[in-house]
């Protein structure tokens, strides 16, 4: 039998936010409980083409499948009218080692699990009565974070802050078409929202910790490399609860690590994000809470397997 | 565009020994000259299913493609009437990072590049007048090694030595159908052939070094893990020239490593196999020569790319 290949369009027809949110929730809990297996990634550099390739594998103990994800970034591609990033997920049986399918998803599943993790943690950690949402960033993640949070709880006004006013307005139009009351906002105003999600490639903090109000929750999802930094150390210093999706990763290349190295929070001052998804979070109405998410590879395995179940089920 | 997937049957229709031999020759030379990139492999264990997964990547400097090979071994599969091993090769552009195709080859390309490396080195290192060939082992590699060597030079009598007389006879029938004069032989007789290729999973040496004649050449391809051993240290002690396809690998888990640890040969007593493929090997008619081949990952990249060229060309 020829190995089936499913592209992004097929995946979008088969699966949506509800499946992704449920799957990512379970996978984050499994990760927090030490039931995931994520070996060190394999890496190749292509200096002349300004490109690289990362291969990551992941498995959740007992799951029927594991995945191998091949992701490339070739940074001269846009000049050739090609996307810089490409990806491919191979789903393999963890019972027999047989390849089951390929998801030629163009990075869709990675975007989905990132969006789901952010929305899940924002919902779990924010005050039940929190209303306004601020989104820093105007890209695919900014859009998905707002839309998927709205799958989990009512969202009031959405304030969109971006470096490009045009892109901020465009995102507000998209969110508006989905029924959200969105408008562009300055960073100062956005920092005063009840819920804040940062989804930018910033190399220095995008919001002023002093402006964040008592009772607010902040989720940072953009910082995934040591030279990036979205959330200021002072925010971690003010926070009552800090969640990390993976302690070692966030310490190494997340905003949490910047805060630890700045002395704003203790190295053991975080809690595993997955644990906060198991039961209602105990948080006073005046507390500030922060989630730092760097992306957990085992989520790819869980999500690819769940999506494949829909595609072939 | 959907990613094309080619299975073993399609690959066998598109390519054959000549393409493989040429491609592997060039790749072995590139490896000897330090023009290959093979990052440490990624590894996952599945203890309950008695399985494992290795992911290997390879690239030859300047080549248009690189490959990521996913190989699994699940050792309970035969009881389920499934093969123990599965494999999949993803060919990716080294210029743009775009996946180009998947070769769902069931391990065919690995078998081919192993066969080609063995045949190439046996041909390059054996005396021009060498006639008789002995093959230790009766599996796929034993068959391919004999047939592909016959693509490179005339082969006289072929002596097949195996633990199972039935399997040895069956292999002789197959080789006979391809025009080779093959017959089963005892280990003692096989050890006296002009050319000897060992392709077994042996854990202790399969031939007696004292029986190997002056002027003989021996290629070992079965030893690919530290607990395996086909060629006796005494053979390396007698050899004038020892070739290794990868010095570090052969020292770590090849027959060369066993010989070095036994004090039979110096740790720097080998030459890179690829260098012997560039020009006629200078060897007296009375010298014994040995090639220890453990398998070079960059060959996968070169071969997959060449085969894909035929499949899509």
């Amino acid at each position: 039998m020829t190995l089936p290949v499913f592209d992004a369009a097929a995946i979008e027809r088969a699966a949506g936010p509800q499946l992704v949110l449920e799957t990512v929730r379970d996978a984050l809990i499994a990760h927090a409980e030490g039931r995931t297996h994520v070996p060190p990634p394999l890496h190749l550099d292509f200096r002349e083409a300004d490109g690289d390739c990362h291969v990551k594998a992941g498995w959740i103990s007992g799951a029927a499948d594991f995945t191998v994800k091949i992701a490339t970034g070739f940074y001269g591609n846009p000049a050739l009218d090609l996307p810089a990033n490409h990806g491919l997920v191979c789903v393999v049986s963890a019972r027999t080692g047989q390849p089951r399918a390929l998801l030629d998803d163009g990075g869709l599943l990675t975007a989905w699990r990132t969006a789901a993790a952010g929305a899940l943690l924002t919902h779990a950690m924010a005050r039940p009565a929190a209303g306004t949402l601020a989104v820093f960033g105007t890209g695919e993640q900014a859009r998905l974070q707002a839309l998927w949070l709205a799958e989990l709880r009512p969202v009031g006004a959405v304030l969109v802050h971006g470096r490009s006013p045009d892109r901020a307005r465009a995102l507000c139009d998209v969110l508006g078409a989905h029924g959200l009351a969105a408008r562009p906002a300055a960073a100062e105003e956005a920092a005063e929202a009840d819920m804040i999600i940062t989804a930018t490639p910033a190399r220095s903090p995008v919001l002023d910790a002093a402006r964040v109000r008592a009772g607010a929750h902040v989720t940072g999802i953009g910082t995934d490399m040591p030279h990036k930094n979205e959330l200021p150390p002072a925010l971690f210093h003010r926070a009552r609860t800090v969640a990390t999706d993976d302690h070692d990763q966030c310490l190494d290349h997340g905003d949490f690590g910047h805060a630890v190295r700045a002395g704003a929070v203790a190295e053991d001052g975080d809690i595993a994000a997955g644990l906060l998804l198991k039961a209602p979070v105990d948080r006073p109405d005046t507390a500030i809470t922060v989630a730092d998410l760097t992306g957990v590879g085992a989520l790819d395995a869980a999500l690819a397997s769940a999506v494949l179940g829909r595609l072939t089920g």
Side-chain angles (χ1 to χ4, degrees), chain A residues 83-172:
Chain A
N85 296 286
H86 288 94
L88 193 65
V89 180
C90 183
V91 184
V92 185
S93 165
R95 312 251 157 93
T96 67
Q98 286 175 296
R100 291 190 56 210
L102 280 149
L103 306 179
D104 183 14
D105 72 329
L108 179 66
L109 294 180
T110 303
W112 277 4
R113 59 102 162 140
T114 304
L120 285 162
L121 268 295
T122 303
H123 175 51
M125 298 180 74
R127 281 181 291 121
T132 55
L133 168 67
V135 177
F136 285 74
T138 57
E140 180 185 28
Q141 275 302 316
R143 176 176 61 83
L144 286 174
Q145 295 284 339
L147 293 177
W148 290 23
L149 181 62
E151 298 272 337
L152 295 171
R153 62 153 69 204
V155 171
V158 180
L159 308 178
V160 175
H161 176 73
R163 285 174 301 177
S164 155
D166 287 349
R167 294 194 61 177
R169 270 191 298 274
L171 176 55
C172 290

Side-chain angles (χ1 to χ4, degrees), chain A residues 37-65:
Chain A
H37 305 264
V38 185
L42 185 157
H43 179 255
L44 263 178
D45 264 321
F46 303 90
R47 293 208 186 135
E48 283 174 33
D50 192 16
D52 55 38
C53 174
H54 292 265
V55 182
K56 297 180 182 175
W59 182 52
I60 296 182
S61 290
D65 303 316

Side-chain angles (χ1 to χ4, degrees), chain A residues 201-283:
Chain A
R203 290 164 183 242
S204 59
V206 295
L207 83 170
D208 179 353
R211 284 194 175 266
V212 174
R213 289 187 174 166
H217 170 78
V218 182
T219 295
I221 64 148
T223 303
D224 59 358
M225 292 203 266
H227 66 274
K228 294 188 184 174
N229 184 200
E230 289 187 300
L231 306 182
L235 178 67
F236 286 83
H237 188 69
R238 288 186 65 197
R240 180 177 196 268
T241 305
V242 173
T244 55
D245 58 356
D246 183 285
H247 174 81
D248 291 343
Q249 280 185 193
C250 290
L251 192 60
D252 182 68
H253 55 260
D255 286 323
F256 176 65
H258 287 290
V260 169
R261 288 187 292 278
V265 62
E267 187 173 325
D268 61 355
D270 61 326
I271 180 169
L275 299 181
L276 299 179
L277 300 177
K278 292 186 75 173
V281 176
D282 172 32
R283 56 114 71 220

Side-chain angles (χ1 to χ4, degrees), chain A residues 8-21:
Chain A
I11 293 168
E12 285 197 295
R13 281 193 300 272
Q18 290 309 322
L19 177 74
V20 180
L21 288 163

